[in-house]
Amino acid sequence: MADETTPPGRGQRLPRSERRAQLLDAALGVFVENGYHAAAMDDIAARAGVSKPVLYQHFPGKLELYLALIDQHTGELEQLVRDALALADNKARINTMTRAYFDFVGQEGAAFRLIFESDLANEPEVRRRLDQIDLTCAEAMAEIIRSETSMDQEEAVLVGVAFVSLAQTSARHWLTHEATLSKETAVRITAALIRRGFGAFPLAGRADAAADIGREGRGDTSGESTGEGAARESVSTPAG
């Protein structure tokens, strides 16, 4: 079905879905460059090459446009994480989930800034969406944690939050230092840290799990259930 007609010289007639995608792309650039508060609908319309009324046909206001972008890109991140979970091997899952954050941060357009660095994070609808993607990814990581350790669901989600935070923060750091730090190296080190983090907790099915917890409480890590080899894993080991 054909969409609205734009003024002469300001674009071409497009199907509605294509026009919406074009407007979202233009809005992403304006929001990333200026932040939500300084961005203007006039600027977005001008960048898309449409009239302001055309923009309002698709999005009733600036907040609705911003929320549509949040939904689009949190959906992309969630899909990257779920694709990683589809792998059978837990080591590969961790490596791939870690890489997902680096891939997301490195995408053209810098959409990650709307998710991880939003200047509208205190707006309730934005906050709800940002909290939900964090929880969704942490719960995905918790599935791996529960399969490897004796932790219950709430404990595993807590650790998942920490691991997801590590992956996200490391990816953002890498992006500002990619001239001197390769992506492969950054992913490898971050994934190794996360994998080794499992060594701090009793392994699932271990008969001596209770003893491990007792040693941890006394500050004795000499017999920590790291799988022994896991605790000594070198960060130089390829994350593949």
Side-chain angles (χ1 to χ4, degrees), residues 46 61 72 74 101 104 118 164 171-172 182 185 189 203 212 221 225:
Q72 175 184 333
T74 55
Y101 279 88
F104 183 69
S118 174
V164 162
R172 289 163 60 196
S182 75
T185 297
I189 292 172
L203 299 179
D212 287 329
T221 59
S225 82

Side-chain angles (χ1 to χ4, degrees), residues 12 27 32 37 45 55 93 156 160 169 182 185 196 198 209 212 232 237:
Q12 59 181 350
V32 167
H37 297 290
L55 178 57
R93 286 179 176 179
T169 305
S182 75
T185 297
R196 293 178 69 181
F198 281 91
D212 287 329
R232 294 191 299 270
T237 303

Side-chain angles (χ1 to χ4, degrees), residues 67 70-71 74 124-133:
L67 291 174
I70 295 286
D71 289 340
T74 55
E125 280 302 304
V126 174
R127 183 74 270 158
R128 182 178 65 80
R129 286 164 166 79
L130 300 184
D131 288 345
Q132 184 57 55
I133 187 60

Side-chain angles (χ1 to χ4, degrees), residues 57-116:
Q57 286 179 22
H58 292 265
F59 303 99
K62 186 166 72 167
L63 177 60
E64 289 78 10
L65 180 50
Y66 193 82
L67 291 174
L69 280 169
I70 295 286
D71 289 340
Q72 175 184 333
H73 294 291
T74 55
E76 290 176 3
L77 178 57
E78 180 178 348
Q79 190 58 55
L80 286 170
V81 169
R82 294 201 180 280
D83 287 347
L85 271 181
L87 300 174
D89 178 69
N90 274 347
K91 179 178 178 181
R93 286 179 176 179
I94 293 170
N95 293 342
T96 308
M97 283 184 71
T98 302
R99 181 176 293 279
Y101 279 88
F102 283 79
D103 289 344
F104 183 69
V105 163
Q107 283 180 351
E108 183 178 355
F112 79 94
R113 297 195 184 281
L114 273 61
I115 312 301
F116 302 145

Side-chain angles (χ1 to χ4, degrees), residues 104-171:
F104 183 69
V105 163
Q107 283 180 351
E108 183 178 355
F112 79 94
R113 297 195 184 281
L114 273 61
I115 312 301
F116 302 145
E117 302 172 4
S118 174
D119 62 341
L120 199 64
N122 289 330
E123 162 65 36
E125 280 302 304
V126 174
R127 183 74 270 158
R128 182 178 65 80
R129 286 164 166 79
L130 300 184
D131 288 345
Q132 184 57 55
I133 187 60
D134 285 344
L135 180 61
T136 296
C137 294
E139 288 177 338
M141 180 62 81
E143 293 183 33
I144 302 175
I145 296 165
R146 292 202 69 191
S147 71
E148 289 286 304
T149 74
S150 58
M151 278 187 272
D152 63 27
Q153 177 64 17
E154 287 303 315
E155 293 170 336
V157 170
L158 175 63
V159 176
V161 168
F163 285 171
V164 162
S165 212
L166 172 60
Q168 178 209 127
T169 305
S170 297

Side-chain angles (χ1 to χ4, degrees), residues 170-193:
S170 297
R172 289 163 60 196
H173 174 84
W174 158 74
L175 191 64
T176 62
H177 295 80
E178 59 180 329
T180 55
L181 179 64
S182 75
K183 182 178 178 179
E184 289 304 314
T185 297
V187 170
R188 184 178 67 238
I189 292 172
T190 305
L193 284 171

